[in-house]
Structure formats: C-alpha cells, structure tokens
Amino acid sequence: MKLAYWMYAGPAHIGTLRIASSFKNVHAIMHAPLGDDYFNVMRSMLERDRNFTPVTASIVDRHVLARGSQEKVIYNITRKDKEANPDLVVLTPTCTSSILQEDLQNFVSRASVETDSDIILADVNHYRFNELQASDRTLEQIVTFYIKRSLNENTLNKTKSNKPSVNIIGMLSLGFHSQHDLVELRRLFQDLDIQINQIIPENASVNDLKNLPKAWFNFVPYRETGLLTAKFLQKEFDMPFIDTIPMGLTNLKEFINAIENILQNYNCQRNYDNYLQNQIKYISQAAWFSRSIDCQNLTGKTAIVFGDASHAVAMTKILHLEMHIKVLWAGTYCVNDADWFHSQVQNICSEVLITDDHNVVGDMIARTDPNAIFGTQMERHIGKRLNIPCGVISSPVHIQNFPISYKPFVGFEGTNQIADLVYNSFTLGMEDHLLDLFGGHDTTDILTNTLSSNSEIVWSPQALQELSKIPGFIRGKVKRNTEKFAMNKKTYLIDLDLMYEAKEKLGT
Amino acid sequence: MTYSNNLTFECETGNYHTFCPISCVSWLYQKIEDSFFLVIGTKTCGYFLQNAMGVMIFAEPRYAMAELEEGDISAQLNDYEELKKLCLQIKKDRNPGVIFWIGTCTTEIIKMDLEGIAPKLEADINIPIIVARANGLDYAFTQGEDTVLAAMAQRCPDAKSLKYKNINTIKTKQHTNLILFGSLPNTTVNQLTTELSKQNITIAGWLPSSRYNELPIITENSYVVGVNPFLSRTATTLMRRRKAKLISAPFPIGPDGTRAWIEKICSVLEITPKNLNTRESEIWDTLDEYIQLIKGKSVFFMGDNLLEISLARFLIRCGMIVYEIGIPYMDKRYQNAELALLEHTCNIMNIKKPRIIEKPDNYNQLDRIQDLKPDLVITGMAHANPLEARGINTKWSVEFTFAQIHGFTNAKDILELITRPLRRNNSLQTINNNIYY
C-alpha cells in the first residue's frame, strides 16, 4: 500500500479507452463496477465532444461477485453489436476484473460467434501498466490484429505509394494539445511534400489498417504512445520510423534531417535546407525573438521542467539551446522511459529527476527555487503556492488546456506559441517582483469595504461569521445589500434571521 | 401519510452513468472539520477522485488514497501492518480527530477485513477509525454519504453519556430530543435550525456534526429526521441499532417540501405549527419570475443522485411536466412520505403521474428522450454535451448535490439552476438551430 494524493498517469484502462474511442466506429465495453465510466465525463467535458463517447460498462455488481459475469458480458457485447454496429468491440478489463480473474477471453470468443463486429480483449494488466503504457500496447494490439488478419486473407497492401508517404502513429483523444499539433503536422508534411498515408488512431477506420505498409515510413510524434506499433511495423515490414517530436527548432531540424535520411535510403534525394532556412527566418519568430533585446533579460534566468518524457525533453532543449535559460533540473513521470530521458537531457541540465510522486517534485521545486516552472497542472499549483510562475507543457491537464483557438506545440507555429509561453511566464514573474519592490497595488481589502458608511448598523457576531463564509468576490455586495435591506426595514441590528430574510427577498 | 399504489415503478438494466460513491469524501471532509478520509482502493479510484474533484485536490485536502499494489492483492503484504504504516503517517502529518476508511470494490472483492482491523488499529494508534463501504458494487454516488453516516451513527454517544450532561438542560429539552441527519453546508444547517426554532423546536444535534467529538447523543427517546432522500441505511441504523424513532417526512427541498417537513416534525412533537402558510406563500411569491419561465415545460430526469423524487415533486408544483424520473435506487419505505407528497402534488396540479424508473438504462433513456423531446433533461456530464449538440437543453445533475437547495431560503437557488439552461439557450437564438451536430 502506498499513500497517494495525486497521480500523473491514470490507470491502465484509461489508456485502452483513449485508443478505442479515438478510432472511428470502435466501441469499448468496460468490465467494471458502477461509476468507473468516468472516462465518458472527461471526453465530454474536456474535449467538449459532441458525440456520445463510445464506451459502455458491463456493470460488475454483487451478483457478478457471487455468480460470475456468466452471460452478462456476452449479452452486453452482442447488444452493442446490434445497437451501434461497430467494426470492432474492445473488451476492456479494469482493476476490478484484474482480481476477479474471470475468463474474459472466453467471453470474447463466445460473443464473436454471434456478432458482426470483431471483438478483442485488451491485453493490459492494471497492476503493471499505467495509462500511457496501456495506450501503447492497445494500439499495437489492434494494429497487429488487423495486419495479421489481412496477411491471412491476403488482402494486405504492401505496395509502397508512388510518392513519399508517412503514417502518423499515436494521435489520440485527450492528448495534450494534440488536435492542434495534428493540424500543424499535416501542414508540415504538406510543406515537405510527403503524403500522409494514415493517421492512427484518431478518426481512423480499423478496416484501413491493412494499408499501413503502403507508407514509406512511420512517425511517432509522442513516444508515450505508438512506439510499440512502430517497432512492430519495422520488424514485420522493415518500415523505418522517426520518434522525434518536432517541438522546438532543434528538434525540428533533427526531425527533417531524419526524413531526408530515410528518403535517401529509398533513393529519393530531397534537400530541405532552403525550406528550413526560410521557415526559421519568416514563419517561426522564435529564433529572432531569442535574439531580440527584450529577451536579453532572460539571461541567467533559471527554470525547471517536468512532464511526460517527450514534452519534457523537447522543452528542456528549447530552454537550454534556443533561449539560453538555465535548466536547474528536468524530470519526467514516465518512469519506464527513464534511460531514454537520461540520455537526452543529462548534458543540458544540472540534474535529472525521475519520479511519479508529486511530493518529491514539489520539494525539489521548493529547494531549487527556479524563476519559472514548465510542467503539468500539478506543477502549476505547486508554483501558485510557492509564488513561482508556471507554463503548462504536458499532461495531466485541465479543461483550460483544451483551448479552442489554435495552439500547437509542434511545428514552426508551435515554436511561436512556446516562445510566448516562456516569455510570458518570466515577464509575469518579473512584474510580480517589481510590484513587491514598490509596495504593490493590493486591492483585496477594498472589496469588503462598504460604501454605505452607516455606522448605526450593527452586525451580530453570528451574522458576521456567516458573512465571512461568503466568497470574497461577492462579500462586499452581500454586505451592502443586507445593510440596505435592514435600513429599509428600520432595523439596525443584522442577525442571522435578517441575513437569510434579505437573501430570500433580494436574492443576494 | 402512506402512498397509494398509483405511481408506477419500473426497473431497467442498471446500465447508467453516475459518480462512484467514494465521491462523498469530497464534501464530507469539508463538513467534518477534524476528519481524514483514507480511500483504500486502486489507481482507478484515485483517478476518479482527482479528476472529479478538480481544484480541491490541490488545496491540501484531508483525504488520500491507500493505493493497493500487487502485493496487497495477492496477500503477500499484511493488511494490518500496511494500514498501520499509512495511518501513523497521517497521524504525524495531519493529526486528525477521526480517520474514515472508505472501502472500495477492490477491498470487497479481496475481502479485506476492514471492520475487523479497525478496532485493533484504533486501540493501537489512539485515533477513532470509522469504516464505511462506499463501493461501486453496491451503491451509487450520494449513497456513499449514507454508508458513512450509517457507520457514524454507531459512534454517537448513548444514554450512558447522558449522566455526565447537565440534568437541567435535559429537562427543558425533553420533548425536543430531535436529531437531524444528513450532511449539509453549515449555512444550510443554520437556516434549517432557525426555521425549526421559529416553531419552538430546538434541535438536540446533527449527524454529522462539524467535529467528531460533537456527535449528538442518541437514546431510545430520540426522534430522528432525515434531510436528504438518499439516507435510508442511516435511517435504518438509527432505528434498529440505536432504537431512535424515525419521523418519516418529505424532504425540505422546495418550499412545499420544507413546509411538509416542518409540519410533520411538528405533528410528531405535538406542536401546532405557526405562520407556515404565510411563510410558504411568501417564498412562492419570490419564485414567480422563474416559474413563469418553466410553467408547462417538460423535464426528464435520467437519474444518478437519488434527489430525483424530491426535485421532480417540487418542479411539478412549479407547473412543470415530468416525463420520467430515473433514480438509481428507490427505498419506498424511507421515501414513503415524499412519494405520497409527489402523488398529492400530481393530483392538485392535475397532471399525469410520471414513470419512476429504478436502475435506468441510459441507452434506452436516450431513445426515449429522442422521442419525447423534453424541454429539459437533467443528466450527468457524460451525456450533457452530446445532448446539447442535438438541440436538447440539459442541466448537469451533480450541481444539485453541491448547491444549497434545502429549506425555504434556498428554493430560489434550485430554480436558478433549473432555469439557467433555458435562460441561456433562449438568449442564444441566433446561433441555436442545431448547427453543431
């Protein structure tokens, strides 16, 4: 047992559900107790999805505990098959099913006799994998399932496309700014004159997976999800892959070089030097911005970085190499990817932190006292407590990190966004500091001051206490209205009764 | 009051969306100021809590997960030792007056003997430990509070502790040995207390109290009355285990409910209620503006928090037509008076009695919503945005559990919530024609 207040990566089934619900016409059925379908709320709230989330629970209740699921899971699968007619149903185990040890695979085989849909059991162990690892595995599992089948049926499309083409692997729902990143990636590949063969799983059809080998190479933007699939396709079809997130100018260059190399191996000579130069000069303002005198103030500023492996590494590179900000330490909660993380950042920051315990992160921030933090929502709150500004660069995130305006983190437009994010974090910090220095403009007291300076009005202690419970930003209004109400009634003592009466009559 | 069998009850598959009952820790830890809630479960439970409770997580809440690892599941680790380690850490860091252990699905399945371990550990570390099994195998959302309060009811001091109290106070309070149960924000507690004191009724205590050592004394002479419709286990425990007398009344939600609630308490305590008529009609007058907006409009409760019967009853009285009342669980005995009032209300408003669907099936319900096209659907967040995208007004049901909705004073707040989608969507006419889906 361990005492935990907060976690960076969710439970395994969330990863599976993110993959399943990202595909088009795939339905997930969770084997779970009542209340475990919270994923649907997140989809509907955070992504503001207009459609019903294609996730249903086959409820585990007392009867299931006593007698086993028996026909229940099969019934739920076949029912969903009839109602929604999906291409694929993914039976998703949860922590509960992990310990019940029912033979879910058996349900899958029995149900598939009766259904038109394909059915698979997500192969994830709740106690061994987290959300990110599970998403990686489930995607690989689904791709493998359809590739193997088309191999057997001889419908696999192995002929390479005429022009250079790519599969983008691992774009999924509830990802950090991934909808915006996807638009930017499309633009990037268009500029590079590379066709996009398929994007999976986002809005992809499982029936098209047989065309994956048509692409010349694979691209995994976020290494948390998609690497297993890319490695499978490499092994099976000798398809090369790139796993550099094109976030920041350094990574963009690396990414474009990698593409040149891959194309060369296919005997396709491409030189993107001019393109790169033009983009850095005219489209991305980040390089010039770093050079401009305003950013001289960033000299000697310190920062820390924490997040998932891909974003934290890219951000550390940007801060250190492109903005000359001292990164005191960089860290990730992707404990399983620690080696890679070390290899990427050990030379560009002073210390490396690998942990999924937010207390350790908080203590480390307090100890190192950076000028700014680049982390997840958790670090933003740590920053609030310590009075250190924070830019959010990675999941886990809140609804404000699903902006409706265009805010990619990758590509050339992404570099502009990040430059703003970094700059604004530091300016705010500096402004705060100056305010402190000059005594500030503290307005917190004014709100509670009353404009009706009628000194005859007396508040009873209970009423005053009640008043203090009202949130600060409306307290002044409530106080004024209640006093007005009392004066109209020619009462000069405000007690609890009168307060409630005023609330009823005035609706304050 | 008993209800005649004119209301129709149906039961569906139980495939519906609701919050896990462990969510009750979020409001109970705020209510019981010296408490610490330890949820003994898995990452799944933790993920739900941290996402559902949003900002509260960052405010150093007095709750945490005891996250079970593989060694706990396969019993390689000793439950007692593990829990002791964690509770000592909690004691050191927060020094709470009471620790609640919230049992989850996992502790049920692996049959962790929390009730057996707690008394030993309690003696060992010298902090009261209360065990509540608020799991998704058995309960829905607000029923979590019910399991916690039922466990707390057992800890209320009994007649023996009466001896230590001042004899005089007992004499004066003899016939008003009235205890209210149900967790409400302190403001609402004050409002209901004031309301009863206007009828010369003094409350002897409230379950839960703000602090653990202020739990009310419960004896065989105590009267108990519930303020929320989801507290049937607590009521049962108070009656059977503590021998208290339950006053079965409608719940003080809406002016009609509040009046009926006070009237029933008065009648049991043999007090003639004063000014209730005027009080109620004054409140109705303040609601008029809202009632004009919803009169004749139809509403559909998908059902997820057990407040549905009381809210539906109030809305019918406001002139709305209720198509369906979905509800996770229907205790016809505990809600007897509320059901009777619902039926009575339907009669006086002269409308058809709504179907009450226990353990609803959300998929079927969405079908019915499509056919009925109600003016308002009260539903969980999983369905709200997709329904809005299809041009159907929705109100997020969870808000009713967190808003102050009890008593005369807060009747307006209920209608404020109910009418918000209507007021908003009416004012967005120019962009409104189902252009989203």
Side-chain angles (χ1 to χ4, degrees):
Chain A
M1 264 181 230
K2 75 177 191 207
L3 199 60
Y5 294 89
W6 207 77
M7 67 184 100
Y8 284 102
H13 71 269
I14 298 287
T16 298
L17 296 180
R18 284 177 65 192
I19 295 291
S21 64
S22 296
F23 274 110
K24 204 161 52 187
N25 211 23
V26 170
H27 205 100
I29 292 187
M30 300 167 69
H31 186 243
L34 196 65
D36 273 2
D37 60 350
Y38 192 71
F39 177 76
N40 298 32
V41 176
M42 296 185 59
R43 268 281 290 237
S44 175
M45 271 288 272
L46 299 178
E47 296 223 306
R48 299 178 195 88
D49 202 324
R50 293 165 201 203
N51 285 308
F52 294 101
T53 308
V55 173
T56 327
S58 172
I59 305 278
V60 176
D61 57 14
R62 275 288 153 192
H63 300 292
V64 172
L65 280 201
R67 307 160 50 231
S69 288
Q70 298 196 346
E71 301 303 314
K72 200 171 182 181
V73 175
I74 297 169
Y75 167 76
N76 279 313
I77 295 174
T78 48
R79 179 184 164 186
K80 197 45 71 181
D81 176 59
K82 288 194 185 71
E83 282 168 359
N85 196 22
D87 296 326
L88 169 70
V89 173
V90 180
L91 182 58
T92 310
T94 58
C95 57
T96 307
S97 42
S98 275
I99 33 178
L100 280 177
Q101 299 195 331
E102 285 195 81
D103 192 354
L104 295 179
Q105 188 58 55
N106 173 36
F107 296 154
V108 165
S109 358
R110 281 171 57 201
S112 48
V113 177
E114 295 173 45
T115 55
D116 297 329
S117 336
D118 301 319
I119 303 162
I120 61 173
L121 170 67
D123 173 30
V124 287
N125 181 330
H126 174 89
Y127 293 95
R128 309 230 167 127
F129 299 116
N130 67 22
E131 169 189 356
L132 300 171
Q133 294 162 292
S135 66
D136 203 11
R137 283 188 70 87
T138 305
L139 184 59
E140 181 206 23
Q141 204 188 345
I142 293 176
V143 168
T144 313
F145 179 84
Y146 283 97
I147 294 277
K148 292 253 154 92
R149 169 187 290 182
S150 39
L151 271 172
N152 288 339
E153 291 173 352
N154 237 342
T155 50
L156 196 76
N157 198 341
K158 275 199 279 192
T159 330
K160 294 286 173 207
S161 58
N162 292 332
K163 292 180 81 181
S165 60
V166 62
N167 297 316
I168 303 180
I169 299 177
M171 303 303 300
L172 58 158
S173 68
L174 291 170
F176 181 74
H177 290 244
S178 62
Q179 291 302 324
H180 307 287
D181 282 357
L182 184 56
V183 175
E184 191 63 21
L185 289 176
R186 284 177 189 275
R187 180 191 288 179
L188 192 55
F189 281 115
Q190 194 182 9
D191 285 355
L192 297 172
D193 194 26
I194 291 170
Q195 290 174 343
I196 295 177
N197 182 48
Q198 269 187 61
I199 298 166
I200 59 168
E202 186 61 48
N203 211 22
S205 163
V206 286
N207 297 320
D208 296 336
L209 292 176
K210 60 175 183 290
N211 297 326
L212 280 174
K214 264 176 72 181
W216 289 26
F217 68 102
N218 291 316
F219 167 50
V220 180
Y222 318 107
R223 55 185 291 109
E224 286 72 25
T225 305
L227 272 185
L228 284 177
T229 308
K231 282 174 184 162
F232 164 76
L233 292 170
Q234 185 182 43
K235 195 173 129 233
E236 204 74 11
F237 306 110
D238 208 16
M239 292 175 80
F241 69 87
I242 297 174
D243 60 355
T244 306
I245 179 172
M247 177 175 148
L249 293 173
T250 323
N251 271 6
L252 268 160
K253 279 183 209 158
E254 200 180 298
F255 167 76
I256 287 172
N257 280 338
I259 293 177
E260 279 177 347
N261 287 339
I262 284 174
L263 297 189
Q264 195 157 26
N265 290 340
Y266 283 101
N267 283 325
C268 168
Q269 303 293 340
R270 290 263 175 104
N271 187 335
Y272 292 120
D273 288 352
N274 276 338
Y275 168 73
L276 203 54
Q277 214 168 14
N278 279 336
Q279 289 295 106
I280 293 176
K281 207 163 168 186
Y282 301 114
I283 304 299
S284 167
Q285 303 290 321
W288 161 238
F289 184 70
S290 281
R291 189 70 194 265
S292 68
I293 51 162
D294 210 15
C295 282
Q296 285 180 4
N297 284 340
L298 296 180
T299 320
K301 289 274 178 275
T302 57
I304 67 98
V305 179
F306 194 81
D308 64 26
S310 43
H311 286 89
V313 164
M315 198 62 201
T316 309
K317 285 189 187 171
I318 292 169
L319 291 172
H320 179 81
L321 301 171
E322 299 169 27
M323 304 194 94
H324 190 58
I325 288 161
K326 188 171 165 55
V327 180
L328 298 173
W329 54 271
T332 183
Y333 56 84
C334 295
V335 179
N336 56 306
D337 215 5
D339 292 342
W340 179 81
F341 191 82
H342 264 287
S343 71
Q344 294 292 305
V345 298
Q346 61 192 1
N347 295 324
I348 51 173
C349 65
S350 315
E351 239 180 306
V352 179
L353 178 69
I354 313 278
T355 181
D356 53 6
D357 182 346
H358 76 274
N359 288 310
V360 174
V361 178
D363 290 347
M364 186 92 159
I365 293 175
R367 178 169 66 76
T368 47
D369 195 28
N371 297 123
I373 300 167
F374 298 95
T376 71
Q377 274 295 331
M378 191 30 127
E379 284 67 49
R380 194 170 73 85
H381 283 269
I382 296 170
K384 258 193 208 156
R385 280 206 344 237
L386 298 171
N387 238 334
I388 303 172
C390 177
V392 175
I393 55 133
S394 158
S395 290
V397 286
H398 278 331
I399 194 151
Q400 68 259 40
N401 300 108
F402 291 86
I404 54 174
S405 60
Y406 187 50
K407 289 201 158 45
F409 270 67
V410 303
F412 293 98
E413 177 54 27
T415 63
N416 294 336
Q417 297 286 343
I418 294 168
D420 277 343
L421 181 77
V422 173
Y423 181 72
N424 289 342
S425 302
F426 281 107
T427 328
L428 290 179
M430 213 129 55
E431 200 177 321
D432 246 17
H433 175 69
L434 288 176
L435 280 174
D436 245 14
L437 216 62
F438 294 111
H441 43 66
D442 192 1
T443 55
T444 46
D445 277 342
I446 294 171
L447 283 172
T448 50
N449 276 351
T450 167
L451 291 178
S452 59
S453 55
N454 195 323
S455 53
E456 288 168 63
I457 297 228
V458 181
W459 286 71
S460 80
Q462 291 88 348
L464 261 188
Q465 203 194 351
E466 189 70 28
L467 185 70
S468 70
K469 281 182 212 141
I470 293 165
F473 60 96
I474 52 159
R475 197 182 300 142
K477 186 178 160 212
V478 172
K479 188 169 183 234
R480 280 195 298 280
N481 285 345
T482 312
E483 289 180 350
K484 253 190 253 165
F485 180 77
M487 283 194 294
N488 284 341
K489 279 192 72 177
K490 304 249 182 311
T491 319
Y492 296 95
L493 173 75
I494 297 179
D495 56 11
L496 275 182
D497 280 358
L498 191 103
M499 258 189 101
Y500 297 144
E501 199 186 335
K503 181 181 190 302
E504 283 163 17
K505 300 261 159 68
L506 304 171
T508 47
Chain B
M1 280 201 285
T2 49
Y3 68 95
S4 57
N5 230 340
N6 272 346
L7 291 164
T8 52
F9 297 91
E10 289 168 47
C11 186
E12 283 190 315
T13 60
N15 273 321
Y16 63 102
H17 163 75
T18 182
F19 272 14
C20 173
I22 60 172
S23 52
C24 68
V25 307
S26 67
W27 65 86
L28 287 174
Y29 94 83
Q30 292 184 43
K31 173 72 196 177
I32 309 165
E33 291 161 11
D34 58 348
S35 63
F36 191 97
F37 284 81
L38 184 66
V39 182
I40 304 162
T42 59
K43 262 192 190 313
T44 307
C45 315
Y47 194 69
F48 163 70
L49 274 184
Q50 101 179 27
N51 284 296
M53 302 315 145
V55 265
M56 273 190 272
I57 295 286
F58 303 109
E60 293 246 348
R62 292 188 316 279
Y63 62 86
M65 293 294 308
E67 196 183 306
L68 300 169
E69 292 164 302
E70 213 164 2
D72 299 303
I73 303 304
S74 50
Q76 286 163 8
L77 297 166
N78 180 308
D79 296 339
Y80 181 83
E81 291 304 325
E82 292 294 307
L83 283 165
K84 185 176 176 183
K85 187 181 73 191
L86 265 46
C87 287
L88 282 174
Q89 197 180 332
I90 292 165
K91 186 181 177 183
K92 188 175 130 255
D93 294 347
R94 311 286 174 102
N95 198 24
V98 56
I99 297 178
F100 288 88
W101 285 355
I102 304 295
T104 61
C105 303
T106 311
T107 56
E108 288 297 312
I109 298 169
I110 63 174
K111 297 191 167 60
M112 193 183 280
D113 182 19
L114 296 178
E115 276 93 346
I117 299 174
K120 279 186 237 159
L121 192 57
E122 178 170 322
D124 225 11
I125 67 168
N126 210 13
I127 292 182
I129 295 172
I130 298 181
V131 181
R133 304 178 175 198
N135 61 68
L137 294 168
D138 300 310
Y139 306 109
F141 195 11
T142 49
Q143 287 181 289
E145 174 180 321
D146 193 23
T147 63
V148 173
L149 296 193
M152 276 184 100
Q154 313 255 39
R155 296 299 187 104
C156 291
D158 55 15
K160 273 175 272 171
S161 7
L162 262 180
K163 277 184 269 179
Y164 305 108
K165 291 261 169 173
N166 189 330
I167 303 290
N168 289 329
T169 52
I170 295 165
K171 259 184 194 155
T172 52
K173 283 184 180 175
Q174 200 142 38
H175 79 283
T176 58
N177 191 7
L178 175 70
I179 289 146
L180 270 48
F181 58 95
S183 166
L184 293 179
N186 287 342
T187 307
T188 316
V189 165
N190 286 342
Q191 286 162 350
L192 288 181
T193 311
T194 313
E195 220 58 74
L196 288 174
S197 73
K198 283 180 187 160
Q199 307 297 338
N200 277 328
I201 298 169
T202 326
I203 298 171
W206 202 298
L207 176 72
S209 47
S210 295
R211 304 188 68 81
Y212 176 70
N213 59 15
E214 288 164 5
L215 277 179
I217 297 166
I218 299 175
T219 70
E220 292 191 10
N221 295 321
S222 300
Y223 285 102
V224 290
V225 61
V227 297
N228 265 324
F230 44 77
L231 297 172
S232 46
R233 281 178 72 89
T234 311
T236 312
T237 310
L238 287 167
M239 284 191 298
R240 296 209 183 133
R241 309 290 294 264
R242 306 306 307 261
K243 310 285 182 230
K245 298 192 258 300
L246 178 73
I247 302 175
S248 172
F251 301 100
I253 291 168
D256 48 341
T258 309
R259 182 210 172 133
W261 185 72
I262 296 174
E263 265 179 348
K264 186 62 189 287
I265 296 172
C266 285
S267 87
V268 172
L269 301 179
E270 292 172 337
I271 291 173
T272 320
K274 289 177 301 194
N275 295 328
L276 266 186
N277 229 339
T278 346
R279 182 97 177 97
E280 190 194 349
S281 59
E282 271 173 12
I283 296 292
W284 282 113
D285 287 345
T286 64
L287 302 181
D288 197 52
E289 192 189 328
Y290 295 101
I291 289 177
Q292 295 313 320
L293 272 171
I294 51 173
K295 214 179 200 168
K297 296 237 160 64
S298 54
V299 58
F300 189 110
F301 286 87
M302 286 187 80
D304 69 349
N305 60 14
L306 285 95
L307 294 170
E308 292 87 1
I309 303 283
S310 311
L311 286 173
R313 177 260 302 151
F314 170 51
L315 293 182
I316 290 171
R317 189 60 192 268
C318 291
M320 290 190 92
I321 298 151
V322 177
Y323 286 147
E324 175 166 329
I325 308 177
I327 186 167
Y329 169 72
M330 181 74 245
D331 185 335
K332 289 181 195 163
R333 274 193 299 176
Y334 175 64
Q335 294 226 40
N336 186 14
E338 182 63 86
L339 287 167
L341 184 58
L342 169 67
E343 193 162 13
H344 175 67
T345 308
C346 290
N347 288 336
I348 59 172
M349 299 305 288
N350 198 19
I351 68 155
K352 212 177 138 226
K353 297 189 179 69
R355 303 148 45 104
I356 296 171
I357 310 266
E358 208 181 342
K359 287 167 158 278
D361 184 294
N362 280 169
Y363 187 86
N364 296 344
Q365 284 185 314
L366 291 173
D367 246 10
R368 295 198 286 269
I369 288 169
Q370 206 148 37
D371 292 344
L372 294 164
K373 300 255 177 315
D375 294 305
L376 181 68
V377 174
I378 297 178
T379 180
M381 205 35 124
H383 298 113
N385 268 336
L387 281 171
E388 288 283 348
R390 285 156 183 78
I392 292 188
N393 299 317
T394 59
K395 181 75 228 146
W396 187 27
S397 53
V398 174
E399 284 193 73
F400 293 102
T401 37
F402 292 118
Q404 301 188 4
I405 60 169
H406 292 76
F408 286 123
T409 316
N410 297 316
K412 193 184 271 177
D413 295 40
I414 306 176
L415 293 188
E416 179 73 28
L417 286 176
I418 291 286
T419 57
R420 196 173 292 159
L422 304 172
R423 285 178 285 137
R424 176 166 181 78
N425 291 349
N426 284 344
S427 60
L428 297 176
Q429 289 296 349
T430 50
I431 56 163
N432 237 3
N433 292 318
N434 300 357
I435 51 172
Y436 325 105
Y437 171 54

